Amino acid sequence: MKELLRTTDPTIIAFASALLQGEGIDCFEMDVNMSVLEGGIGIFPRRLMVRDDMIDRAERVMRDNEIPLGRP
């Protein structure tokens, strides 16, 4: 799996996941439970992962919908 996007905004993760699922691209959200360690203040970014063979297609979906990937 490869990292598609990284953000501290849970609404972007939800929107991106819905867009990807609509395109038939499976995704997996990582670092969801970090809020337990941080106290729920949202300082640790969450990551959205996709399969290696779907990364180009997923990045295109994000660009088409103007969603910043938030990664180097």
Side-chain angles (χ1 to χ4, degrees):
M1 297 201 73
K2 290 195 175 189
E3 180 181 324
L4 174 64
L5 69 89
R6 179 184 301 218
T7 183
T8 57
D9 187 345
T11 60
I12 291 176
I13 293 281
F15 182 53
S17 296
L19 288 171
L20 292 171
Q21 290 173 2
E23 293 290 326
I25 301 171
D26 292 329
C27 60
F28 181 77
E29 187 178 347
M30 295 187 69
D31 307 319
V32 177
N33 295 319
M34 288 301 289
S35 63
V36 172
L37 297 176
E38 69 184 11
I41 58 177
I43 58 172
F44 292 119
R46 294 182 181 184
R47 296 175 291 160
L48 194 62
M49 311 294 282
V50 296
R51 289 187 356 218
D52 292 352
D53 60 334
M54 293 289 189
I55 190 73
D56 293 332
R57 201 168 142 210
E59 286 176 347
R60 194 172 321 114
V61 171
M62 296 299 106
R63 275 193 311 271
D64 290 348
N65 289 281
E66 300 178 2
I67 296 175
L69 297 179
R71 59 186 164 105

